[in-house]
Amino acid sequence: MILLALVALAACQTLPAVIPGAAGGAFDVRYDAAQQSIGEVDARARTYCNGGADFISGETRFDGFAYRTYRCVGSS
């Protein structure tokens, strides 16, 4: 029941959505691969960083959304 509520809540967010708190100062951007292009996701990451963002990795997770992990340029 709780998992269903979390999935419903996540679906309400505007995509692409930034998910802060990944390991090592990185963050994830969640998006719908059928609706958003990689260029839109990269642009969202750069906006979040107020400049440059380095792409680290990408994957599709259990919730069916795609995720790309980034780190702001200059972050360690």
Side-chain angles (χ1 to χ4, degrees):
M1 181 78 154
I2 293 173
L3 180 59
L4 182 60
L6 289 174
V7 170
L9 179 62
C12 293
Q13 285 186 322
T14 302
L15 297 177
V18 172
I19 313 297
F27 63 94
D28 293 328
V29 178
R30 180 180 63 228
Y31 65 103
D32 183 344
Q35 300 294 319
Q36 284 89 31
S37 70
I38 297 300
E40 291 173 293
V41 178
D42 289 345
R44 180 65 182 104
R46 287 190 304 273
T47 299
Y48 178 78
C49 290
N50 293 317
D54 288 331
F55 171 73
I56 299 171
S57 66
E59 65 182 339
T60 299
R61 296 188 186 159
F62 71 93
D63 59 4
F65 288 107
Y67 290 76
R68 287 175 59 91
T69 302
Y70 297 87
R71 182 174 292 112
C72 293
V73 172
S75 297
S76 43

